[in-house]
Amino acid sequence: MTVQSGESMAVMFADVCDSTRLYQVLGDAAAHALTERCVGQIIEATERYSGTVVKTMGDGALSTFPSADTAYCAAAHIQEALRGTEPKVRIGFTIGPVIVTPGDVFGATVNLASRLAALASPGEVLMTRACVDALHPAYRSNTQRLDSAVVKGGIDAVEIYRTLGDPENVTVAAGQLDGASGKRRGILILTHRGRQLRLDTGSAPVLMGRDVGCGLVINSDWASRRHATLEIMNGRFTLTDHSTNGTFCLDESQRLLVLKREPTYLLTSGLISLGIAPAEDPDNVIRYRCGTIEGEAG
């Protein structure tokens, strides 16, 4: 058996709530169908945000992620996808060293993530202070400290945080309110070589790349023909890389993120560069800015 020790990663447990009661009340077939739907959402979100489903456990899943940000995005995606439905899912995640073996992960980090999931209420996401400290500032602002507690099996007190739950509490969301209501709705403004492109909640996905059929054509040797897509996903502006060389995002805090066939939310403002760091090809940089406008009266 090959064992990898000490590798640091984010570990997430997601469990379907009250699955035993569901089987008693609804019967095997109906309860199994509902549980499978929830587990399917967990698997889909994990894979979407560059995670690995280590194993499923009937009414839940254990997943690992390369960063706290990707675990956070997956957890938020799961809860938003299941919002307003039954059954609920409880999620706990933390970050730290783990022991990796074929088909499983072990260690104190894994145990802590499991305990956090058990402490979470239905529809809630709990995480540790270590996760919060590692989050992008915009994600961090959508968390709230709950308490310090010695979790079962632990020795030292752990600071526990939860997500605020409401996707509109994220720094800039695309906006889920109907523009006809007269309320504020989100927009994303892209600027490239003097051309400006605006997306809002009613916009179709925009493909970026060298292909002349793209919504935003980038004539760069570093860009793939169909390099990346911008779209509204779960009420937020989402950039997804499809390329060979990756997509570089530099946010207003000067944090550089390199996407490799994975998505990220665009939260405030910054630069996007296809296939190369922004400083190395400034002529083809795409500037983006998220904001809000008043919806038009119906």
Side-chain angles (χ1 to χ4, degrees):
M1 176 182 293
T2 302
V3 177
Q4 230 179 316
S5 180
E7 185 175 355
S8 183
M9 59 182 64
V11 178
M12 183 181 82
F13 273 89
D15 295 322
V16 179
C17 301
D18 298 326
S19 59
T20 301
R21 181 186 62 83
L22 286 176
Y23 278 88
Q24 293 172 343
V25 173
L26 300 177
D28 290 350
H32 178 73
L34 286 176
T35 302
E36 283 290 292
R37 176 176 62 84
C38 291
V39 173
Q41 289 286 357
I42 294 167
I43 293 171
E44 190 274 336
T46 296
E47 294 175 347
R48 179 184 293 272
Y49 291 99
S50 304
T52 299
V53 178
V54 177
K55 59 184 177 181
T56 57
M57 298 157 287
D59 59 353
L62 165 62
S63 304
T64 59
F65 295 85
S67 67
D69 280 352
T70 50
Y72 174 95
C73 289
H77 185 108
I78 292 164
Q79 299 297 25
E80 290 171 23
L82 297 173
R83 190 181 301 277
T85 67
E86 295 291 340
K88 303 293 186 186
V89 169
R90 54 168 58 95
I91 297 174
F93 73 92
T94 188
I95 190 167
V98 298
I99 298 170
V100 181
T101 66
D104 215 342
V105 290
F106 301 94
T109 300
V110 179
N111 295 337
L112 179 54
S114 176
R115 302 303 184 197
L116 289 172
L119 289 172
S121 299
E124 188 173 52
V125 179
L126 296 185
M127 71 197 79
T128 59
R129 173 64 182 269
C131 285
V132 173
D133 289 343
L135 287 175
H136 184 287
Y139 297 149
R140 194 182 309 141
S141 69
N142 199 43
T143 65
Q144 177 185 61
R145 186 178 183 275
L146 286 181
D147 201 357
S148 291
V150 177
V151 299
K152 184 178 178 181
I155 299 174
D156 299 323
V158 175
E159 286 190 64
I160 300 173
Y161 287 71
R162 69 178 180 92
T163 61
L164 295 178
D166 181 356
E168 292 180 0
N169 285 327
V170 174
T171 302
V172 178
Q176 298 183 18
L177 296 175
D178 185 352
S181 67
K183 297 184 179 180
R184 296 173 70 83
R185 57 192 177 92
I187 59 167
L188 176 66
I189 301 173
L190 304 173
T191 305
H192 174 255
R193 289 181 175 269
R195 179 191 176 192
Q196 191 174 94
L197 185 66
R198 292 190 173 211
L199 286 75
D200 61 22
T201 52
S203 299
V206 173
L207 187 63
M208 301 185 293
R210 287 189 294 110
D211 194 294
V212 294
C214 291
L216 186 58
V217 178
I218 308 297
N219 290 314
S220 164
D221 292 337
W222 300 99
S224 297
R225 293 181 62 82
R226 300 168 68 84
H227 194 103
T229 301
L230 274 168
E231 60 188 319
I232 305 298
M233 190 180 296
N234 293 312
R236 295 176 183 147
F237 294 113
T238 305
L239 172 66
T240 304
D241 173 76
H242 313 297
S243 72
T244 302
N245 295 326
T247 300
F248 293 71
C249 295
L250 184 69
D251 65 20
E252 61 181 10
S253 64
Q254 299 303 299
R255 170 173 167 161
L256 183 65
L257 176 66
V258 184
L259 303 176
K260 294 292 184 69
R261 299 183 183 274
E262 59 188 315
T264 190
Y265 294 140
L266 298 183
L267 298 165
T268 50
S269 62
L271 307 177
I272 299 169
S273 183
L274 305 189
I276 191 170
E280 297 182 53
D281 189 18
D283 290 342
N284 285 303
V285 161
I286 305 160
R287 299 184 182 276
Y288 73 87
R289 178 170 61 84
C290 296
T292 57
I293 57 174
E294 297 295 330
E296 298 177 357

